[in-house]
Each structure stands twice: as C-alpha cells, then as structure tokens.
Amino acid sequence: MVESRFPQEMLQRIERCGIVAVLVIDELEHAVPLAKSLLEGGVQVMELTLRTPVAIDALKLIRQQVPEILAGIGTILRADQVDAVHDAGGAFGVSPGCNPGVLQRAAEIGLPFAPGIVTPTDIEIALELGCRELKFFPAESSGGLEYLQSMAAPYTHLGTRFLPLGGVSMANLAKYLASPLVLAVGGSWLAPRSTIAKQDWQTISKLARQASETVKQTRGV
C-alpha cells in the first residue's frame, strides 16, 4: 500500500462528493457566484484550471468568500506554479501529465497532488514519486472505464484510486462512479466556459444538482 499525499479527511470529502467540478474562469467577478452555484447544487469540490490569468486570484477570492467549498488548482505544468498554488491556499493540485519536477516540488512543500496518467508507465512514475491518487486523462478517448480497469489491475493492491476526466458526462457518470477504482470524476460539463461567461448560475446549479443526485443513487451517500 502506497501512502496517500492527501489528508484522509480530504480524501473522504472528495469521495463523498463524487464530483470535482473542473472550471475555466475568464473573469474574476465570476469566481464567487460560480462557487456558490456549485455549492447550491451539492458539488463541494472544485478544480480551477490555470488556463487563464485570473485563476490564482479567483482561488484566493473563493477561499475568502466561499470557504465551505474545497478548492484546488489544475493544469499545473511547472514547478513554480506549484508554489503559487500553495501560497494562494489551494487545497490540492492536479496536472494533465506526470512531470517529475512538478511532483517533486509538490512533495517538498506538502501540496496534495494528483498527476495525470494514461499508461502503466505513467502510473509507475507517479507511484515512484509518491502519488497514489491519479487523474485518468483523457478518459473516454483513451478507452474509458474498460481500459482503466485493465491498466490499473497490476496496481490496485497499492491503493491507487483514479479521477477520470475527459468525455465523462451525465450519460456515463453512474458507470464510472460504480467502479471501486474511481475516487471521484472530473466534471467539466457542470459549468461550461460559455455558461460561466453568460453568468447563468441557475443552469450550473441545476447541472450540479443532477450530478449530485446521481452520486447519491449510485453510491448511497
């Protein structure tokens, strides 16, 4: 069994929620109402992607004004970004790939981290660098749950758990959630960039509520 980099309480919270809302925020003023709309729908974990200049400031605002939500940062590509996320109070970090320099820096400063994997070699690199919770990305285009089950089989005794992202939607959400391999799914469909831009918080709350109901029905939580 490989020891997790995530605190047990945080892992339990992510698993109970079942969904990590994956978000691209273009305008800082959208950060707080977006977080509140997700919470209203029952989604308590979010990953703000470093694809726009306002991501770190958005994280700070959410931490200050919506502390009830567990907010981390994704699309971490460089070691210096790990420091920025940690300094801004990010609960965890996520990357699309398995960059050893990024993972080493996260370990040095104690930032819980889930690197992206899509092959057995990726898994072994992540495990070697102390990561047990892994982002399976891109999930559906890489073979979906069937591929994940086959690929992960040699590593399950080490306690590996996965966060599939990419092609996951309401149509296949329950299938992923039912697998013991899956800690939670990454939900980019909950708050599309265009919906955030329109400030359509009601739709985002509705999508979050639908996903949360599927988690309850599938996992009985």
Side-chain angles (χ1 to χ4, degrees), residues 4-22 42-47 68-73 90-94 111-115 132-135 161-164 173 176-177 179-187 190 211-212 214-216 219 221:
S4 176
R5 281 200 189 179
F6 284 73
Q8 190 61 29
E9 183 180 350
M10 189 185 301
L11 277 180
Q12 291 171 349
R13 185 173 178 186
I14 293 171
E15 185 165 23
R16 279 196 309 270
C17 185
I19 309 275
V20 179
V22 179
V43 172
Q44 302 177 14
V45 186
M46 66 192 305
E47 172 198 325
E68 314 95 282
I69 203 163
L70 186 66
I73 290 280
F92 57 88
V94 182
L111 179 70
F113 206 92
R132 192 183 76 179
E133 286 72 38
L134 311 173
K135 172 182 173 179
R161 301 289 299 280
F162 298 88
L163 295 102
L173 175 60
Y176 276 99
L177 289 171
S179 171
L181 290 172
V182 173
L183 176 67
V185 303
L190 296 175
S212 297
T214 299
V215 174
K216 291 176 184 176
R219 293 188 164 177
V221 295

Side-chain angles (χ1 to χ4, degrees), residues 17-24 34 37-39 41-47 69 165 168-170 173 185-196 200-215:
C17 185
I19 309 275
V20 179
V22 179
L23 313 162
V24 181
L34 173 57
S37 66
L38 289 168
L39 271 181
V43 172
Q44 302 177 14
V45 186
M46 66 192 305
E47 172 198 325
I69 203 163
L165 172 65
V168 183
S169 66
M170 282 302 299
L173 175 60
V185 303
S188 56
W189 81 92
L190 296 175
R193 198 171 186 173
S194 58
T195 308
I196 296 172
D200 187 354
W201 312 127
Q202 186 175 358
T203 292
I204 292 171
S205 289
K206 180 181 177 181
L207 292 170
R209 194 171 298 110
Q210 290 173 345
S212 297
E213 284 301 317
T214 299
V215 174

Side-chain angles (χ1 to χ4, degrees), residues 25-26 49-58:
I25 295 181
D26 292 288
T49 61
L50 284 180
R51 299 183 191 180
T52 66
V54 303
I56 293 293
D57 286 335

Side-chain angles (χ1 to χ4, degrees), residues 7-171:
Q8 190 61 29
E9 183 180 350
M10 189 185 301
L11 277 180
Q12 291 171 349
R13 185 173 178 186
I14 293 171
E15 185 165 23
R16 279 196 309 270
C17 185
I19 309 275
V20 179
V22 179
L23 313 162
V24 181
I25 295 181
D26 292 288
E27 302 293 338
L28 190 57
E29 65 187 29
H30 296 162
V32 169
L34 173 57
K36 289 181 176 179
S37 66
L38 289 168
L39 271 181
E40 185 179 332
V43 172
Q44 302 177 14
V45 186
M46 66 192 305
E47 172 198 325
L48 294 164
T49 61
L50 284 180
R51 299 183 191 180
T52 66
V54 303
I56 293 293
D57 286 335
L59 171 66
K60 292 177 181 177
L61 265 184
I62 290 166
R63 289 273 296 157
Q64 292 167 2
Q65 299 187 37
V66 199
E68 314 95 282
I69 203 163
L70 186 66
I73 290 280
T75 320
I76 297 175
L77 306 178
R78 305 188 313 268
D80 63 296
Q81 292 175 324
V82 176
D83 289 274
V85 170
H86 183 266
D87 293 346
F92 57 88
V94 182
S95 59
C98 207
N99 182 327
V102 168
L103 302 192
Q104 288 167 353
R105 185 55 185 159
E108 289 169 2
I109 64 176
L111 179 70
F113 206 92
I117 62 90
V118 78
T119 69
T121 299
D122 294 336
I123 293 177
E124 292 184 18
I125 292 171
L127 289 170
E128 183 72 18
L129 292 169
C131 294
R132 192 183 76 179
E133 286 72 38
L134 311 173
K135 172 182 173 179
F136 173 41
F137 174 80
E140 279 293 288
S141 60
S142 299
L145 184 60
E146 289 185 4
Y147 171 71
L148 176 61
Q149 290 168 333
S150 298
M151 175 180 61
Y155 310 103
T156 52
H157 67 289
L158 300 175
T160 50
R161 301 289 299 280
F162 298 88
L163 295 102
L165 172 65
V168 183
S169 66
M170 282 302 299

